[in-house]
Amino acid sequence: MTVGIALVGLGDIALGAHLPALLRNPEVEVAALVDPDAGRRALAAGRTSAPAFAEVAEVLDDPRVRGVVLATPPWVTTELIGRVAATGRFVLAEKPVATSLKAAKPLAELPADQRERVQVGLTYRHDPALELLRDWLAAGRLGESLLVRAHIYDERRDPGDPAHAERIEETLRHGLPVIHEGAHVFDWFSFLFGGPPDEVADGWALATRPGLAAPNLCGARLVYPHRTVVLAEFGWLTDALPRCELSFLGDRAHVLLDGHTFRMELTTVDGVEQVAFEPDRTTRCFDRQLARFVELVTGARAAPAPDLADGLAALELAERVAALAGGGAR
Ligand SMILES: NC(=O)c1ccc[n+]([C@@H]2O[C@H](COP(=O)([O-])OP(=O)(O)OC[C@H]3O[C@@H](n4cnc5c(N)ncnc54)[C@H](O)[C@@H]3O)[C@@H](O)[C@H]2O)c1
C-alpha cells in the first residue's frame, strides 16, 4: 500500500528536492500537484503523471491524498497549514511557517489534534552529521563553553540571473535574511544545544546598497547554556559571498561544518578527522525527512518531528534577532 501525497507549490525547492524525494520513495504515490502558475505546472508535468491543479481546494476532497507537502512561500504557507490539517490530512510544511509570530498566531491556536498532524520542514536537522556533532557535544569532546561562528551566506546576486535576484529582493520585503535562513540555523542550535538561548545579546543589520526593501546583511550574538557564545551572520544579494560555514571552538577541539555540504572537520590534539556522509546533503536530508513524514501518516510514528512548536520557536528567535537588528518583518 502506497501513501498518496500531494505536492503544493511547484517552485525551486519543490521541483529540486521534494518531488525527487517523493519519486524516490517506494512507499509514496505522488497523488497531485498544485500551483497557480501554469508555467510551474508544465515544468512538473514532465516528471510525473500525477494530475496538476491551480488550487489546493481541488485536491482536498480526493480521498487518495493522505498527506500534503506545502512548498509554498511563507506568506502563503500559514493559512494552508490550517486549511489542510482541518481536513484530517497530514502536512509537511516548508519553513518558515510564517513571516512573523503575529502572522503565525492562527498556527499557535490550532486545535491539538490538528497540530499533531503537522511536521515542519526544518530539513537539515535530519542530517546524520548534525546527529554526530550533537553526540560529540554531549560527550564533552569539544569542551564545555564554546565559541560558535555561523556564517550563513547564500543567494548570491548573479548578474546572469536577474530573475533570481528579483525573487530574492521580493523575499526581502517579507523580512531580513535571518527571518528566512534563521529558521534552519536556530533550529540546528536548538537541536545541538538542547534548547533555546539564554539571551540574545545584540544584533545588527546593514544594507550594502540603497533601494533594497530591507538590509541584506544582518547578525546577532546569542548566549546558550554553559556560556556558549554564538556569533551568527546572515547575508544575501552581493555579487560575491564569503564561505557559508559554521565553526565550533572549545577548549579541547575545533569543528568546522561546511554550511552547504555538512562535511565536518574535527581537529584535536590527536589530529584532524574528516567526516562526510553519502549521498549529497539535499538528497539524504529530504529522503530522511520524507521517511519520517510517511511514518507519521501511516501511524508508525506517534508525533511529528520537528513539530509546529519547533517551527514557531525558530521563528520567534529569528524575529527577536531581526527586531534587535533593526529591520524586522514587515
Ligand atoms: N527546506 C529547505 O531546505 C528549503 C530550501 C529552499 C526554500 N525553502 C522554503 O520553501 C518555500 C518555497 O521556496 P522556493 O524557493 O521553492 O520558492 P519559489 O518562489 O520558487 O516557489 C514557491 C511556489 O509556490 C507557488 N504558490 C504560491 N502561492 C500558492 C498557492 N496558494 N498554492 C500553491 N502554490 C502556490 C508559487 O507559484 C511558486 O511556484 C519557502 O518557504 C522557502 O523558505 C526551504
Side-chain angles (χ1 to χ4, degrees):
M1 275 277 284
T2 50
V3 176
I5 293 184
L7 177 59
V8 175
L10 303 173
D12 282 357
I13 200 64
L15 299 192
H18 286 291
L19 185 57
L22 290 163
L23 294 172
R24 274 193 300 268
N25 190 314
E27 292 180 69
V28 167
E29 185 204 341
V30 182
L33 304 167
V34 181
D35 199 299
D37 183 330
R40 299 307 299 183
R41 292 200 300 278
L43 268 182
R47 315 261 298 267
T48 156
S49 56
F53 303 96
E55 269 287 327
V56 74
E58 297 185 69
V59 303
L60 291 186
D61 51 9
D62 181 346
R64 289 175 314 138
V65 176
R66 294 171 64 196
V68 173
V69 174
L70 295 177
T72 39
W75 49 95
V76 175
T77 306
T78 317
E79 189 264 338
L80 288 182
I81 291 175
R83 190 134 67 96
V84 176
T87 67
R89 289 180 174 79
F90 290 83
V91 183
L92 170 57
E94 262 305 346
K95 49 49 63 179
V97 289
T99 52
S100 68
L101 268 193
K102 191 168 163 227
K105 203 159 173 283
L107 297 178
E109 292 166 358
L110 277 191
D113 64 317
Q114 292 183 24
R115 289 175 73 97
E116 284 162 11
R117 289 198 290 270
V118 181
Q119 180 177 327
V120 176
L122 293 162
T123 314
Y124 306 107
R125 82 142 68 180
H126 300 287
D127 199 293
L130 276 202
E131 289 172 1
L132 178 61
L133 178 55
R134 186 176 61 166
D135 291 347
W136 287 346
L137 296 175
R141 191 143 180 210
L142 277 73
E144 198 182 43
S145 301
L146 309 178
L147 172 64
V148 180
R149 291 177 298 162
H151 292 172
I152 311 301
Y153 290 95
D154 204 355
E155 313 295 0
R156 185 178 74 84
R157 179 182 49 186
D158 178 355
D161 188 357
H164 171 258
E166 210 174 286
R167 189 163 61 78
I168 302 302
E169 286 194 25
E170 176 57 28
T171 306
L172 211 47
R173 290 190 186 282
H174 296 273
L176 293 177
V178 65
I179 292 288
H180 307 276
E181 307 279 1
H184 277 308
V185 177
F186 294 136
D187 184 63
W188 303 343
F189 292 139
S190 157
F191 179 75
L192 292 172
F193 303 131
D198 294 333
E199 185 193 356
V200 181
D202 54 52
W204 57 268
L206 165 74
T208 54
R209 63 178 185 277
L212 290 169
N216 55 326
L217 306 184
C218 60
R221 180 164 57 97
L222 306 100
V223 185
Y224 281 81
H226 305 296
R227 298 180 309 284
T228 283
V229 171
V230 172
L231 306 176
E233 301 175 13
F234 301 85
W236 282 348
L237 287 173
T238 46
D239 285 354
L241 290 171
R243 281 179 66 89
C244 179
E245 64 183 12
L246 295 95
S247 126
F248 300 76
L249 177 64
D251 198 46
R252 287 194 288 283
H254 175 239
V255 171
L256 202 57
L257 177 71
D258 184 284
H260 291 303
T261 63
F262 272 10
R263 280 171 183 274
M264 287 198 290
E265 185 182 88
L266 168 71
T267 306
T268 66
V269 284
D270 298 324
V272 180
E273 193 183 320
Q274 308 279 353
V275 180
F277 290 91
E278 295 294 332
D280 64 281
R281 185 181 78 154
T282 301
T283 305
R284 65 182 186 253
C285 288
F286 278 81
D287 281 355
R288 286 165 70 108
Q289 168 175 270
L290 179 62
R292 288 171 187 179
F293 183 58
V294 170
E295 287 171 5
L296 184 69
V297 176
T298 57
R301 175 177 288 268
D307 64 9
L308 211 38
D310 293 315
L312 293 173
L315 178 63
E316 187 272 331
L317 186 50
E319 190 166 305
R320 206 150 26 113
V321 168
L324 205 59
R330 285 147 195 241

